[in-house]
Structures are given as structure tokens and as C-alpha cells.
Amino acid sequence: MTAKQTVQQKDILNIQSVTNPVLSPDATEAVFIVTQIDEKENTYHAHLYHLQVDSGKSTQWTYGKERVSQPQWSPDGSQVAFLSTRDEKNQLYLMQAAGGEARKLTDYETGVTSFLWSPCGKKIWLTSTLEDGKTFTDKKEKEEDKQPEALRVTTMKYKMDGVGFIKEDHHSQIGTLDLDTEEITAFTNEPFHHSLNAISHCGKKLVMGVNRAENKDFDFRQPLHLVDLDTKEETTLVDEEGYFGGATFSEDDRYIAYTGSVRTFENATHSELYIYDTENQTTLNLTEGLDAPIGDAVVADTQQGPNPPDAVWTEGNYLYFQVTTMGDVRLYFADLEGSLYPASQESEHVYDYDVAKNGQFALAAISNPVNPGELYRLDIATGERKALTSFNETYVNDTILVQPETIQFGGAGGFDVHGWLMKPATYKEGSKYPLVVNIHGGPHAMYGNSFFHEMQLLAAQGWGVLYINPRGSHGYSQEFVDAVRGDYGGGDYQDIMDALDNVLENHAWIDKEKLGVAGGSYGGFMTSWIVGHTDRFKAAITQRSISNWISFFGVSDVGYYLCDWQIKADMTNVDKLWKHSPLKYAENVKTPLLILHSEDDLRCPIEQAEQLYITLKSMHKETEFVRFPESDHNLSRTGKPNLRITRLNELTSWFEKYL
């Protein structure tokens, strides 16, 4: 019998991500996507798989150097359409369910962003980003004929992390593609971004999102409109400050479900599930009594490209959707009379799903702290489940994985604080071990009962790992998630320190003289803040962080409004911005600090790291700075595989040196 191996940095090359389960119309078949890393190509490949639901037999349908996404069955179940990058840009492909080669349907300059089948099965609605005045089929200029061009900027939302600079004269448009002729007909052409949400089962109505405001610098609306396809007459479903989307029609077309959040607490506001009644033209907030957000707020590092529906209707006008709650993401059931309850179990992360139209079972992609994720059939009535895939079974069986222990304690201000503690993978009773505190980003995200390779890696090095959800985290009450706003470094810092004191008091195996702390984004801010306010940690690693809210205001893609939303201050109150900036407290830092940052990060630009590094160096502090080229804010999750491994090596090497 082969001995189990400890978790290694390169394990991300072996872990496969199982996502995008989509049931056929009769629910006897399904398709899904498996993403894995090609080490030689230093990239990700995502392929389409077919599943026989009853037998659990799966077959790979696509191969090659591509990333497949958004698979959808035709209304009669005879074909599957999907997007693929096999020719660089995402283009639309069509495959017969009976087998055969995929047929390429589009070759647009900017590719296809999203699509929906028309109920007739003879055409497909799609969106693509077009230059104003151009059509879907206009050919792009040859690369060798291009000259560098200046970019004129007149708006404040002119760049986006992971995207780059945004051209003001390019907008997302909707068109219809005839499958027989492959001719595309434009449905929209106004100089605004249009999103494709849903098409009624009768084929006569469409829900689209469009914000027609001329100046959107301080406009954060995504109105939804119900469009009559014959007359193009629009009925507004919702038009208020906040984001709304994910619309879907009930089976009888009377109701439209959609999700969204208003701006009561800015980006800390819980998402809700709304129902619009097309007959009475009334709207119901179906989850008003649920003090938890709709959707998935879990942060993890192995699930690639999940694309769960916002909600799924079943016969009888019942609904299923995800809810983030107490460290779990669970599938929930609701009806229009107000019934609301979980339809999946506790202590796991349902990160993707579909539900059979008769409501008898769900097909769900599920992870837990010791399993990266597989597809399961969940019987709705009995709660029974059956594993349908085993892509990560060998890895799980051959690897020492640590099951975290749940912790909970009463924090400051009357809040309960929830989190997890992992013992070292090499733990032996009576020995002492270092402890690393790992802090998530967001801050409006959540650590959860999900597989997290980085946590397992730290435990494999012989360290304990503490990770909690301090105030500001999603998954708890609205009051809890809002409590961090205007108080960065206050109650949230106290929650982390109280959690540390709690585990030190109750777990004698932790060596209190060998404590480390790390985090990224908001977690990077908090790491930098912590070392400026206490010297109890022997090593710290700050990643993709904010160090100076004053400069962040002008350089981040979201800075000019996020400062107001999160710190409750703008450039008219630089004293408050500076008060909450870790850079202000650099002189107090005694902990050796490693700074990791991506060069193409537009969310927390690298100048934030540069300021912190040079300031600390000028004060003769113990610090080093590692820059990651060709990487954005999501390096640790979706970055180039070799650089993800380098980052993990940097983490473990720094702690090994000082702990």
C-alpha cells in the first residue's frame, strides 16, 4: 500500500474543477465542464463532458487547447451549444447530442459574451461587444496594419481589473443568429451596454438589462426591462440604485424571478430574490425574511469558472437558489406562498447546480474542506445523494488532508464570530506547533466549508491554520456584514485578535511564540494593519493589498467610490482616509513583512505595494517585495499556473524562515 503524500504546491496541477452541470430538457442527460491545468502550456483547459444521469456514466465530448463555457441544451434536447476559445476569442459552437464534430457558428471580432436558445430551437440570441456603428460581422483590422492609438478618457469607469482599459465607444449588443443561414440580426444598437437575461417559453418576451444614463460615473444601476419581441415595447421590472440580473421565467411564463441588491448598505447589502408578476405587475421580495445573502460568497482557490443560475424554476412555480449562510453555501427551496427552507445539507459548499423541471432531484457540484468537488445527484424529497463523478477521488485518497475544526465565540459589540482551526498535517499529541492566521479578501466575502488548497498546504508544512469570518464577512446578518464600513481596522481587527486569543487559550499545542499572519486584498490590508498595531506575530505576508487610501482613491478601478462606500470618506476628508491607511503606521512595524503583488492589478494597483515597500525599507524594516508579471488581482485563483506555484513557494518559504 502506497503511503499518503502531504499537500504540495504543485498539487494545483492535479486538482480538477468540475462545474457547470446542465440537465437536458427531460433530465435524463446532462453536460458539465471539467477544467484542469496544462503544465507544459502553463494554462487552463476546460472541456465539455456528457453524463447519463441514471447510470452516472460520463464521456468527454471536447478536447484540445481550449476553454469551454456556458453549455446549453437546445429546447428539444437534440443539440448542445457552448462557447469555446479554440480560436482565441470566445465563439459559439453547436454539437449534436448524438455525437459528431462541433460546428462553429460565429467568427466575430470580439467574440460572443453570452447566449440563449430561442424556444423554437431555430435561432440563438447572443451578446457581443461592438464598436458603435459596427455590426456583428464586421471584420477586424489586420494586426500588421494597426498603429498605436491614444486612448481618450472622459469617464471615471475607464478601466477594470482583469479587462484593462475600456473603450468608451464599444458596447455590448444583442442579436439573433439564424441556425440555418448563420445570419445574425441586430436587436439592439443604442450606445449602451445590453445584457441578455431570459426569453419566455412562448418566445414572445425577453428580459434584458440596460442602463441608458448618459453619465454613469456615479450611477450604479442595472435596470431590467421586459421587452415585447413583436412591438419592442418595454415594461420596466426594476430601475433603482443597485445591481439586478439573473432573470428567469416560470414554466407558465406568468412570473419572472431575478436577483439583486439595492444600495442601502452599498456593496455590503444582501442580495435578495425577487418575483415579478406579469399579470398584476407587482413585485415580491421572496427572501425579505431571510437575513443572509442569495448566491455564493465563498472564497476558494480550486473551483474554476462555476456559472450557477441565479434561480431555477420547477413545475408548480417552485424555486431553487443558493444561499450563503454560516460558512455554507446551500441550495434553498421557496414557493410563492412564502415557504423557504434548505434543500441541501450543512457543512458544504454547493458551488454550481441545476434542478430537474419536475423538481424531483438536483444535479449539484459540491465541495467540502477535504474534497475539491464532484457532481452529485440530490434527491429533493429524501435528501439522499449519489456521487456521479470521481475526478478528484485519486487525489483525495492519496493525500493527507486535514479536516478543520469549527470555532465560534462571542466577539466585541455582541457579535458571534465564526471560523475554523486546522491542526498541522503532521500533528502529534504533546508537541507544539506554529500557527498561521489567514485573512480573506472582500471584505464582503466568506471563508466556508469548501476545499482550499492554500490552507491545506500551510497545514502540510507543519503549521496550524486559523481562518475566521470577522465582521464585514458575508454569510451572517446584514448588521454583521455592514459593521466594517467606516471602521476598517477597528472591530474587524478586534475579531481577529479575539479569535487568536480564543484558540491560544483552548489549544495547548499552539506555540504562541511562533505566530504568522497573511492575507490578500482586504486580507492584505488587514495584514499590513495588524503589523502596524501589534508585534505579536513573528512573520507576515501581505498580498494585493491597500496601504494608502488617499492614493487608492485615484488609481484603483473602483477607488473613487469604494473609498466612500467602505471608509465613508473621499478626497474632501483625507484625514480619515489616512487614519485608516496601514502606511500611516509603518514606523510601528517590527514584524518581518513579505509583500506580494501583481503588476497588472487594477483593483489594488501595484503602487500600493511600492509605497509600503519603499517606506518600510527607508525605515530599515525587515521586508521583501515580489512582483508578479502578467497577473491581475486574481493571481492566486486564476493566474498563470507557474506564478501561482511561485506565490505558494513564497508563502511557505517566508514562514519557514521566520517561524
Side-chain angles (χ1 to χ4, degrees):
M1 183 176 179
T2 304
K4 287 191 174 187
Q5 303 296 310
T6 56
V7 174
Q8 304 294 315
Q9 288 84 342
K10 284 196 170 186
D11 285 1
I12 63 169
L13 304 175
N14 303 319
I15 296 170
Q16 300 184 66
S17 175
V18 186
T19 61
N20 286 251
V22 184
L23 287 160
S24 63
D26 64 5
T28 62
E29 304 172 80
V31 289
F32 62 96
I33 291 173
V34 177
T35 304
Q36 53 195 144
I37 291 173
D38 184 324
E39 182 178 11
K40 183 178 179 181
E41 298 286 336
N42 196 32
T43 190
Y44 303 82
H45 294 153
H47 294 122
L48 186 66
Y49 280 70
H50 174 265
L51 177 74
Q52 293 287 353
V53 174
D54 286 342
S55 68
K57 180 183 177 182
S58 60
T59 306
Q60 187 170 345
W61 267 8
T62 66
Y63 297 82
K65 301 174 182 179
E66 65 175 338
R67 294 197 74 164
V68 166
S69 61
Q70 299 182 42
Q72 294 180 33
W73 291 86
S74 61
D76 65 0
S78 67
Q79 303 173 93
V80 175
F82 58 90
L83 300 183
S84 172
T85 61
R86 60 183 64 179
D87 292 321
E88 294 188 13
K89 294 286 185 182
N90 250 343
Q91 302 292 353
L92 183 63
Y93 289 78
L94 187 63
M95 178 176 283
Q96 298 296 319
E101 188 65 28
R103 167 186 161 202
K104 186 178 181 181
L105 297 176
T106 64
D107 189 20
Y108 304 154
E109 177 183 355
T110 55
V112 176
T113 309
S114 66
F115 71 95
L116 290 172
W117 279 93
S118 173
C120 66
K122 296 179 179 178
K123 63 182 180 179
I124 290 178
W125 292 78
L126 55 80
T127 62
S128 182
T129 300
L130 307 180
E131 184 178 350
D132 294 346
K134 289 196 173 184
T135 67
F136 285 88
T137 54
D138 284 344
K139 297 299 180 182
K140 61 182 177 182
E141 185 181 359
K142 294 181 180 179
E143 290 296 325
E144 59 265 28
D145 296 336
K146 281 190 173 182
Q147 298 290 335
E149 296 178 355
L151 178 70
R152 182 179 302 278
V153 175
T154 63
T155 66
M156 299 179 80
K157 299 175 185 174
Y158 70 91
K159 60 182 179 179
M160 183 182 296
D161 185 67
V163 175
F165 294 110
I166 300 169
K167 295 182 179 179
E168 296 177 15
D169 60 351
H170 285 61
H171 294 91
S172 179
Q173 304 293 355
I174 299 173
T176 57
L177 180 70
D178 186 294
L179 294 181
D180 290 331
T181 65
E182 295 188 12
E183 292 182 354
I184 181 79
T185 302
F187 183 75
T188 63
N189 55 22
E190 297 175 290
F192 306 110
H193 289 295
H194 301 79
S195 65
L196 186 60
N197 272 245
I199 299 168
S200 62
H201 296 88
C202 67
K204 296 179 179 180
K205 304 282 187 180
L206 175 146
V207 178
M208 72 175 183
V210 58
N211 183 347
R212 295 188 174 97
E214 291 296 333
N215 186 332
K216 301 181 181 67
D217 287 344
F218 291 96
D219 192 317
F220 301 96
R221 293 176 301 130
Q222 177 64 1
L224 293 181
H225 304 282
L226 178 63
V227 186
D228 184 297
L229 295 180
D230 291 329
T231 65
K232 283 202 172 184
E233 180 182 352
E234 295 183 8
T235 301
T236 300
L237 302 183
V238 59
D239 184 6
E240 57 183 300
E241 287 287 311
Y243 174 80
F244 300 90
T248 179
F249 284 88
S250 61
E251 292 294 302
D252 61 6
D253 281 339
R254 175 174 174 177
Y255 301 102
I256 300 170
Y258 63 91
T259 59
S261 58
V262 295
R263 284 184 54 199
T264 307
F265 305 98
E266 302 298 2
N267 62 325
T269 311
H270 281 171
S271 294
E272 306 275 10
L273 179 62
Y274 299 90
I275 306 297
Y276 179 80
D277 185 334
T278 61
E279 288 189 11
N280 300 328
Q281 295 187 324
T282 57
T283 300
L284 168 70
N285 182 349
L286 202 63
T287 55
E288 188 173 16
L290 182 67
D291 197 6
I294 302 305
D296 182 354
V298 163
V299 290
D301 60 358
T302 57
Q303 289 120 25
Q304 298 290 330
N307 187 32
D310 286 46
V312 171
W313 288 98
T314 60
E315 295 166 359
N317 291 333
Y318 301 121
L319 281 153
Y320 292 87
F321 48 94
Q322 293 165 302
V323 174
T324 293
T325 173
M326 289 293 292
D328 296 330
V329 176
R330 303 179 71 180
L331 194 61
Y332 262 63
F333 163 91
D335 62 27
L336 300 183
E337 281 68 54
S339 297
L340 186 70
Y341 55 79
S344 67
Q345 66 188 35
E346 296 179 329
S347 302
E348 64 184 21
H349 177 198
V350 178
Y351 61 89
D352 220 335
Y353 76 101
D354 196 8
V355 183
K357 294 305 176 189
N358 60 15
Q360 292 184 1
F361 72 93
L363 190 61
I366 302 175
S367 173
N368 63 48
V370 291
N371 193 318
E374 302 288 356
L375 286 187
Y376 297 84
R377 174 179 171 144
L378 307 183
D379 187 291
I380 298 295
T382 67
E384 294 179 4
R385 66 177 58 201
K386 175 186 176 183
L388 298 177
T389 65
S390 56
F391 288 93
N392 293 301
E393 184 177 26
T394 299
Y395 176 77
V396 170
N397 289 339
D398 293 349
T399 309
I400 300 172
L401 299 171
V402 178
Q403 177 68 49
E405 170 192 342
T406 301
I407 64 168
Q408 189 166 339
F409 61 92
F415 289 120
D416 283 344
V417 181
H418 176 231
W420 296 264
L421 177 66
M422 296 172 71
K423 288 181 178 178
T426 55
Y427 177 81
K428 292 182 180 179
E429 194 73 37
S431 297
K432 291 275 191 178
Y433 298 91
L435 179 75
V436 173
V437 179
N438 213 345
I439 307 168
H440 70 63
H444 310 309
M446 181 185 77
Y447 278 142
N449 287 305
S450 187
F451 187 84
F452 209 129
H453 170 254
E454 182 178 315
M455 304 295 189
Q456 293 288 347
L457 175 64
L458 293 171
Q461 304 299 304
W463 311 318
V465 187
L466 173 64
Y467 54 108
I468 71 159
N469 289 322
R471 68 194 65 195
S473 302
H474 262 316
Y476 305 92
S477 69
Q478 180 65 80
E479 184 184 8
F480 186 82
V481 73
D482 183 55
V484 74
R485 295 174 59 238
D487 188 40
Y488 271 48
D492 49 352
Y493 168 73
Q494 191 65 51
D495 288 343
I496 295 167
M497 292 299 103
D498 287 349
L500 178 59
D501 290 337
N502 180 276
V503 297
L504 289 176
E505 182 179 346
N506 293 294
H507 299 273
W509 58 265
I510 301 173
D511 186 342
K512 59 184 65 179
E513 300 302 318
K514 293 183 178 180
L515 304 177
V517 61
S521 196
Y522 163 80
F525 158 85
M526 182 52 67
T527 299
S528 302
W529 182 269
I530 285 171
V531 296
H533 288 77
T534 179
D535 61 358
R536 57 190 303 191
F537 293 94
K538 300 304 178 187
I541 304 172
T542 183
Q543 306 158 75
R544 58 188 185 280
S545 63
I546 297 169
S547 65
N548 182 352
W549 287 100
I550 297 173
S551 63
F552 178 84
F553 182 93
V555 297
S556 168
D557 62 345
V558 298
Y560 76 92
Y561 58 87
L562 198 70
C563 286
D564 181 39
W565 290 3
Q566 292 295 304
I567 306 301
K568 297 188 177 180
D570 57 20
M571 293 301 284
T572 65
N573 189 358
V574 293
D575 288 342
K576 185 168 187 183
L577 292 177
W578 186 236
K579 175 186 175 184
H580 291 279
S581 298
L583 195 64
K584 172 181 170 67
Y585 309 96
E587 189 176 4
N588 301 334
V589 174
K590 297 179 181 178
T591 306
L593 181 66
L594 177 63
I595 302 169
L596 306 180
H597 217 107
S598 296
E599 293 186 349
D600 296 340
D601 191 338
L602 297 181
R603 185 59 39 86
C604 297
I606 198 167
E607 61 87 34
Q608 294 285 303
E610 291 170 338
Q611 288 189 67
L612 183 60
Y613 173 70
I614 292 299
T615 300
L616 292 174
K617 272 292 187 182
S618 72
M619 296 175 175
H620 308 290
K621 307 291 185 179
E622 186 90 23
T623 184
E624 293 181 16
F625 180 23
V626 181
R627 304 169 65 106
F628 293 86
E630 301 177 44
S631 304
D632 59 26
H633 197 64
N634 289 302
L635 166 67
S636 64
R637 298 175 285 268
T638 60
K640 290 183 179 295
N642 73 307
L643 294 179
R644 288 180 63 189
I645 293 170
T646 299
R647 171 187 164 272
L648 293 170
N649 285 331
E650 292 290 344
L651 282 172
T652 55
S653 296
W654 191 259
F655 285 136
E656 186 176 344
K657 180 178 179 181
Y658 290 100
L659 297 184

